[in-house]
Amino acid sequence: MISADYCRAMARYNAWQNSGLRHAVSELSEEELTHDRGAFFGSILGTANHLLWGDTVWMSRFADWDMPTVPAPESARLYPHSADWGAARAKADAGITAWAEALTDGDLDGALSWYSGAAGRDMTKPMADCVVHFFNHQTHHRGQIHKMLTEIGYRPDDTDFFLMP
């Protein structure tokens, strides 16, 4: 289904996109970032926090990272201050990139098993499917953030994969 090269490209894309997101977050006030905009995770920062929370959960399964410090229902409050979120996001992106760089095609074979708090049960799924979900989840929530930024008049950076440096 996918290859280690695909994962490396997606990790680079993730880091590039999150760099632009960190820049946007650094330019906005805490009020603009935390204002409830009716999104599933409320605010720009809430959605960015959930995205980082989800990345951390998946990386705990893929690469033995520590689980997030808050449970799923509180994921939008992972980092209440944007500067703390930005530092954690940069660190996570470097870790995701390092993980992807070390992957082999064989690492994507087989199944991944874990306990899902969201499903309330043990899960086993093909590893490649889990990795595709991981990268899809990132893109999905960054799209929500992009929409919220656009609505407040902020022009986010380009998101087209083919424009990635």
Side-chain angles (χ1 to χ4, degrees):
M1 173 187 237
I2 62 171
S3 67
D5 284 340
Y6 166 83
C7 295
R8 285 186 274 281
M10 292 307 295
R12 280 187 20 251
Y13 178 76
N14 174 63
W16 174 54
Q17 288 299 295
N18 286 334
S19 175
L21 182 54
R22 286 193 326 272
H23 179 76
V25 165
S26 74
E27 291 188 336
L28 298 171
S29 70
E30 291 293 317
E31 196 284 319
E32 288 173 306
L33 294 170
T34 58
H35 179 77
D36 189 334
R37 301 188 184 283
F40 191 83
F41 294 100
S43 65
I44 293 167
L45 186 58
T47 304
N49 269 318
H50 170 74
L51 174 54
L52 179 55
W53 182 92
D55 284 354
T56 304
V57 167
W58 281 105
M59 289 305 295
S60 76
R61 297 169 183 155
F62 299 156
D64 295 323
W65 286 19
D66 290 336
M67 286 288 286
T69 56
V70 301
E74 297 174 31
S75 64
R77 294 186 294 276
L78 183 64
Y79 291 98
H81 302 289
S82 61
D84 296 334
W85 171 85
R89 180 74 265 177
K91 181 179 176 185
D93 290 340
I96 292 166
T97 300
W99 164 77
E101 289 297 323
L103 276 178
T104 67
D105 287 344
D107 294 329
L108 300 168
D109 292 339
L112 179 69
S113 296
W114 74 98
Y115 177 80
S116 170
R121 61 185 168 90
D122 289 327
M123 303 286 295
T124 299
K125 296 289 180 183
M127 178 65 168
D129 290 358
C130 294
V131 174
V132 167
H133 169 75
F134 171 66
F135 290 122
N136 246 8
H137 184 258
Q138 295 167 347
T139 301
H140 166 70
H141 287 302
R142 275 194 307 267
Q144 292 174 323
I145 294 167
H146 189 280
K147 177 188 180 293
M148 289 185 276
L149 289 170
T150 302
E151 286 176 342
I152 64 170
Y154 188 91
R155 186 184 181 303
D157 293 340
D158 288 318
T159 60
D160 292 315
F161 185 85
F162 71 88
L163 294 174
M164 179 172 55

